[in-house]
Amino acid sequence: MEQKPITAIIVGAGHRAFVYSELAKTNPEMLKIVGVADPNPVRRKKAMEYFGFGEDMCFNDAEELASKGKLADAVINGTMDEQHLETAVPLLNAGYDMLLEKPFAPNEDEMRQIVECAKKNDSKVMICHVLRYTPFYYGIKERIVNGEIGDIINIQTTEHVSYHHLSTSYVRGKWANSDKCHTTMLLAKCCHDLDIMMWMMAETEPTQICSFGGKYQFKPENAPQGAGTICMKDCPLVDTCIYSTKRLYIDHPDRWAFYVWDALEDKENPTIEDKIALMKSDSPYARCIYKCDNNVVDHQSVMVNFASGATGTHNMVGGSSEPRRNIHIIGTKGEIFGNFEESKFTVLKINPSPNAHHEECDVEVVDLNVSGDMVGAYGGHGGGDERLAEDFVKFIRGEKPSLACTSIFDSVAGHLSVYLADKSRENGGAPQAVNLRS
């Protein structure tokens, strides 16, 4: 018997929710978007027209939607991090299952409230840890599960955040000030990476965490002499500063369009003149990079101790020339290391015999780009977005999900590790004990 598609309502009709909802267009037999809840009428109209439902399925917010009872199987919750508690709880109480964007809570208290609500309602809640679904990380996880490198001794992950991503999102943009967004940079940017670490180390649990980091680069005292306050309005360095809004956003108008030009979303086809005018206005993205209200770190290092005796480190460094994620896992029988952007990893297996391929170890290079740019072919987040949405449908249907499936309960270790790392950083690197079950 052919199954009907899972019906879902978008809550928070921003960029990420639309990305996950695209499955309704590419695989309509799996997912059907039947409504939207968003306070922005432009976004409600966009969702209604794109997915083809009526105005009677448009709601101002999660509370209004929840008051109508259960109108679909699930909700795709793409609201901002600090809104997850207020949107998730009433909808879970109304009986919806949920795909919930990461990080699913900005602090430990709200995390535990959402987890308890999901538990109380026996809800199926899946967190959007899209990196688990990429061929790169999924392939590494399969090797670990198969025991190819033995028991893990140490895991090292790094994320280099490019200069244009750092400046757009964490200095000028939505996640620049934790007092406003209620999210630290480590949580907003690296809950993926700490989740990957916990996923790879799933046979054990974290017991202690410590961390150091700070804001190194973008502060008023580092501004070049003579710098203005609005790059394209009053700064003589507009054509030479590498962080000039002209060079980042006018010369590259499509790179961060869904953030930088959000104030123009009421215009169907904004012109370059519209964009230049915005860059001369009071838009947060128009400001001098050194004279913003950013207070989050731009680099941070985390160390984790595990119950098995293994250790892990994660280094996040913002302002790099290019984006880069690396991973290196060392086990009792071998090791795996690789670069996410290249979509390539190497497996080394200890082999002391004279016939070993390379200096007493066997070497296997796994290149996921052998038939072209597979990262591009797989789509967003190296293929993670599309595969995650498909797995969510399987999860809701009660079918066997993939190895990557992240229920809310599986996501606790990674989130809690971030909260405790930030607490350690704020307390001079003091070690923090991990309690996953309190």
Side-chain angles (χ1 to χ4, degrees), residues 184-325:
T184 66
M185 184 173 178
L186 188 70
L187 183 62
K189 191 73 189 79
C190 297
C191 68
H192 275 316
D193 304 274
L194 271 297
D195 174 73
I196 289 292
M197 182 185 290
M198 298 305 149
W199 186 42
M200 298 296 176
M201 302 292 294
E203 298 305 311
T204 184
E205 294 182 347
T207 58
Q208 264 188 324
I209 291 173
C210 62
S211 180
F212 297 91
K215 185 173 76 168
Y216 182 87
Q217 192 173 174
F218 300 111
K219 38 194 176 183
E221 58 266 35
N222 289 342
Q225 188 173 2
T229 56
I230 303 295
C231 295
M232 293 187 66
K233 185 177 180 181
D234 62 5
C235 186
L237 308 174
V238 68
D239 291 315
T240 56
C241 175
I242 60 174
Y243 290 99
S244 154
T245 56
K246 177 178 180 294
R247 300 182 73 182
L248 287 180
Y249 308 134
I250 299 303
D251 293 349
H252 298 276
D254 299 323
R255 186 158 54 190
W256 294 101
F258 43 86
Y259 294 146
V260 178
W261 312 125
D262 64 345
L264 301 175
E265 66 182 357
D266 59 327
K267 297 179 181 289
E268 187 170 345
N269 293 297
T271 64
I272 194 66
E273 288 76 20
D274 292 327
K275 294 173 181 178
I276 290 171
L278 187 65
M279 287 298 102
K280 293 181 178 180
S281 73
D282 61 355
S283 165
Y285 297 102
R287 297 173 293 175
C288 170
I289 196 72
Y290 298 97
K291 300 178 182 180
C292 296
D293 62 345
N294 57 305
N295 68 355
V296 299
V297 304
D298 55 24
H299 68 292
Q300 188 166 350
S301 297
V302 180
M303 179 173 282
V304 184
N305 196 28
F306 289 91
S308 64
T311 54
T313 59
H314 176 67
N315 285 297
M316 182 274 292
V317 184
S320 61
S321 301
E322 63 179 3
R324 181 176 291 267
R325 273 186 166 105

Side-chain angles (χ1 to χ4, degrees), residues 33 145 171 289 325:
I33 303 300
V145 169
V171 182
I289 196 72
R325 273 186 166 105

Side-chain angles (χ1 to χ4, degrees), residues 133-136 340-344 366-387:
Y133 287 87
T134 62
F136 177 77
F340 172 69
E341 280 70 27
E342 294 176 355
S343 204
K344 179 191 295 185
V366 181
D367 188 345
L368 299 165
N369 289 322
V370 288
S371 57
D373 184 4
M374 292 298 289
V375 173
Y378 273 115
H381 278 104
D385 291 334
E386 296 79 3
R387 289 159 60 137

Side-chain angles (χ1 to χ4, degrees), residues 349-369:
K349 296 179 184 177
I350 296 172
N351 184 355
S353 74
N355 298 320
H357 300 307
H358 178 70
E359 297 181 358
E360 298 188 344
C361 68
D362 293 330
V363 181
E364 178 188 0
V365 177
V366 181
D367 188 345
L368 299 165
N369 289 322

Side-chain angles (χ1 to χ4, degrees), residues 19-31:
V19 166
Y20 302 129
S21 300
E22 187 64 20
L23 183 68
K25 290 287 190 176
T26 59
N27 294 80
E29 77 284 357
M30 296 187 73
L31 181 68

